[in-house]
Amino acid sequence: LLRTEEITRFYQMGSETVHALDGVNFDVREGEMVAVIGASGSGKSTLMNILGCLDRPSSGRYWLAGRDVSKLTDNQLATVRNRQIGFVFQTFNLLARTTALENVEVPLLYGGVHRAKALAREALERVGLGDRIRHRPNELSGGQRQRVAIARALVNNPSIVLADEPTGNLDSKTTAEILDFFVTLNRQGVTLIIVTHEPDIAARCPRRIHMRDGKIIDEESDG
Amino acid sequence: LLRTEEITRFYQMGSETVHALDGVNFDVREGEMVAVIGASGSGKSTLMNILGCLDRPSSGRYWLAGRDVSKLTDNQLATVRNRQIGFVFQTFNLLARTTALENVEVPLLYGGVHRAKALAREALERVGLGDRIRHRPNELSGGQRQRVAIARALVNNPSIVLADEPTGNLDSKTTAEILDFFVTLNRQGVTLIIVTHEPDIAARCPRRIHMRDGKIIDEESDG
Ligand SMILES: Nc1ncnc2c1ncn2[C@@H]1O[C@H](COP(=O)(O)OP(=O)(O)OP(=O)(O)O)[C@@H](O)[C@H]1O
Ligand SMILES: Nc1ncnc2c1ncn2[C@@H]1O[C@H](COP(=O)(O)OP(=O)(O)OP(=O)(O)O)[C@@H](O)[C@H]1O
Ligand SMILES: [Mg+2]
Ligand SMILES: [Mg+2]
């Protein structure tokens, strides 16, 4: 479903080059649930942004559902992002001047979906924020903002969920609830890739990828 | 050193009132290392903002080093914040258009300290970012930004460190390094209050406060 071949991503900083990704070959089949683990700065978010069609690699290729992503127009990419992929950002990326409800509605309005308000409300209730729908991000706690970002990623029923450290600001009980939610989605056929520093989450993913210095250095699978 | 009496903090949302803090009585002696634990939305950041003189309570009183904080002018509060308190924000709050080095320099320049650049550089090296000093926040990973926020909070050698979930975006190795760093500071006499969801960090704090629904509901101490 997702396949990368020798992906690199570098940044030129004056005379220095930062190699955020340094030759990544990564295959994910439909219906898998994969954890991505690695030290701070090892390239996890950079990889996720490329998989989520939010960034293009400096070199190498990426096929999503059989299509070479470098051949898609910006409009086609935007449609793929809206219809197929739900992305939970490490820094949430919420719109500051709109409510939680309106933030979660955005992907639905963009996709021309009816009943956007009702669906957005349900998504917020599912992450425990039914009583916070009219709050704006600066009227929410850190973990509440993180949950709005999760609700927004899932509201369009995407077939692929890319979650970049979705529980870093959550207590263990809420983390367990979100994890159960992800496992349920996976059983319904959703493909999940989760960047995480939390051992509990990594342990529930049947496959775990380890990154260091922009490369995949190790991989383990259960069964 | 820090003492609160019946602190409340509420927000009026139309016809509803959100009770972020609902009667908090909290005492911290000089040199303590206290963990604050509780569910997402239970009031931890709100309490930290009041302890850090970044917010005023709706009612109740707060004494810092024997002075009633409600009697201080804005200028006096700003001086207290700059000289005595180092605050690590849950959402980092870095200046977007300046480098990591400049971000960490800010408290020193504000306090009129010489050698600000050299001290800022050392602080960044201590959190493992010596090779990222010229990067701006959007050129840093999530965990790197979090470490810049930590470095900035510590660069002025404050006697009180208030850290709001300082390791949520860090891998376990980096988390352990930051924790050792905090323990070392504590042994040098710094008073630390750390909001955390991580059991390892809570376990290293000799005292742990549990919050729920804007109240302190439990407390445990070792020895
Ligand atoms: N400006 C505001 N207006 C209205 N409600 C607010 C505002 N700021 C915070 N709240 C509410 O106050 C409660 C406490 O918020 P706080 O940020 O202290 O929680 P927290 O314990 O730090 O949570 P987390 O672990 O998720 O960071 C939350 O339920 C939040 O929705
Ligand atoms: N725009 C940029 N310019 C320069 N360097 C960058 C830029 N964006 C990221 N980097 C660097 O690329 C490396 C990888 O960043 P990335 O965000 O992928 O790390 P990460 O594995 O997600 O880390 P974390 O666990 O801390 O979130 C980092 O060392 C970072 O400093
Ligand atoms: Mg990251
Ligand atoms: Mg908080």
Side-chain angles (χ1 to χ4, degrees), chain A residues 35-57:
Chain A
V36 178
I37 306 165
S40 173
S42 55
K44 307 179 297 293
S45 296
T46 307
L47 176 60
M48 294 289 269
N49 288 339
I50 287 171
L51 295 178
C53 303
L54 296 155
D55 186 24
R56 292 184 188 269

Side-chain angles (χ1 to χ4, degrees), chain A residues 140-154:
Chain A
L140 291 172
S141 78
Q144 290 167 345
R145 288 178 212 171
Q146 190 157 37
R147 284 181 275 160
V148 176
I150 293 171
R152 180 182 62 184
L154 302 180

Side-chain angles (χ1 to χ4, degrees), chain A residues 13 16 18 38-42 45 90-92 131-132 134-136 139 141-145 147 165 167-172 174 197-198, chain B residues 13 16 18 38-42 45 90-92 131-132 134-136 139 141-145 147 165 167-172 174 197-198:
Chain A
M13 309 284 294
E16 279 192 41
V18 174
S40 173
S42 55
S45 296
Q90 185 171 5
T91 48
F92 320 154
D131 61 351
R132 289 283 181 276
R134 305 227 180 288
H135 288 232
R136 286 191 300 277
E139 297 167 339
S141 78
Q144 290 167 345
R145 288 178 212 171
R147 284 181 275 160
E165 298 192 36
T167 61
N169 284 283
L170 300 177
D171 55 281
S172 45
T174 315
H197 292 310
E198 307 217 25
Chain B
M13 308 284 294
E16 276 191 43
V18 175
S40 173
S42 55
S45 295
Q90 185 171 6
T91 48
F92 320 154
D131 62 351
R132 288 284 181 275
R134 304 227 181 289
H135 287 233
R136 287 192 301 277
E139 297 167 337
S141 77
Q144 291 168 343
R145 288 176 212 172
R147 284 181 277 161
E165 298 191 36
T167 62
N169 284 283
L170 300 177
D171 55 280
S172 45
T174 315
H197 292 310
E198 308 218 24

Side-chain angles (χ1 to χ4, degrees), chain B:
Chain B
L1 185 58
L2 297 98
R3 184 166 141 244
T4 75
E5 184 180 278
E6 283 304 313
I7 293 282
T8 71
R9 181 68 172 99
F10 58 83
Y11 299 98
Q12 202 60 42
M13 308 284 294
S15 59
E16 276 191 43
T17 309
V18 175
H19 295 277
L21 292 178
D22 202 10
V24 172
N25 298 293
F26 188 38
D27 253 298
V28 180
R29 280 187 302 281
E30 189 168 359
E32 282 201 84
M33 187 166 167
V34 187
V36 178
I37 305 166
S40 173
S42 55
K44 307 179 296 295
S45 295
T46 307
L47 175 61
M48 294 289 268
N49 288 339
I50 288 171
L51 295 177
C53 302
L54 296 155
D55 186 22
R56 291 184 189 269
S58 306
S59 70
R61 294 169 75 192
Y62 171 38
W63 291 268
L64 174 59
R67 298 155 84 190
D68 181 342
V69 170
S70 63
K71 308 257 180 317
L72 300 182
T73 65
D74 282 351
N75 267 346
Q76 287 172 314
L77 276 183
T79 304
V80 162
R81 282 199 303 265
N82 182 260
R83 295 279 164 76
Q84 297 185 31
I85 300 175
F87 202 108
V88 187
F89 292 87
Q90 185 171 6
T91 48
F92 320 154
N93 294 14
L94 303 178
L95 300 172
R97 299 207 188 126
T98 66
T99 65
L101 189 69
E102 291 162 343
N103 261 285
V104 175
E105 262 190 294
V106 167
L108 298 168
L109 300 175
Y110 183 82
V113 173
H114 292 280
R115 294 186 60 238
K117 268 211 179 341
L119 291 170
R121 181 189 292 263
E122 279 170 37
L124 283 166
E125 284 169 351
R126 246 174 304 157
V127 294
L129 293 179
D131 62 351
R132 288 284 181 275
I133 61 178
R134 304 227 181 289
H135 287 233
R136 287 192 301 277
N138 69 344
E139 297 167 337
L140 292 172
S141 77
Q144 291 168 343
R145 288 176 212 172
Q146 189 157 37
R147 284 181 277 161
V148 175
I150 293 170
R152 180 182 61 183
L154 303 180
V155 75
N156 235 348
N157 288 320
S159 48
I160 301 166
V161 172
L162 302 177
D164 195 348
E165 298 191 36
T167 62
N169 284 283
L170 300 177
D171 55 280
S172 45
K173 178 159 175 289
T174 315
T175 296
E177 288 165 15
I178 295 293
L179 181 52
D180 287 341
F181 193 0
F182 283 165
V183 169
T184 304
L185 284 176
N186 186 237
R187 289 197 188 125
Q188 295 168 359
V190 175
T191 306
L192 281 115
I193 304 178
I194 307 174
V195 172
T196 185
H197 292 310
E198 308 218 24
D200 298 355
I201 301 201
R204 292 284 284 280
C205 295
R207 188 172 162 214
R208 292 171 291 281
I209 306 277
H210 296 258
M211 292 188 68
R212 185 193 295 161
D213 298 330
K215 294 186 174 72
I216 293 179
I217 55 162
D218 200 10
E219 179 170 334
E220 349 140 31
S221 301
D222 317 327

Side-chain angles (χ1 to χ4, degrees), chain A residues 175-203:
Chain A
T175 295
E177 288 166 15
I178 296 293
L179 182 52
D180 287 340
F181 193 179
F182 283 165
V183 169
T184 305
L185 284 177
N186 186 237
R187 290 199 187 123
Q188 295 169 358
V190 176
T191 306
L192 281 115
I193 305 177
I194 307 173
V195 172
T196 184
H197 292 310
E198 307 217 25
D200 298 357
I201 301 200

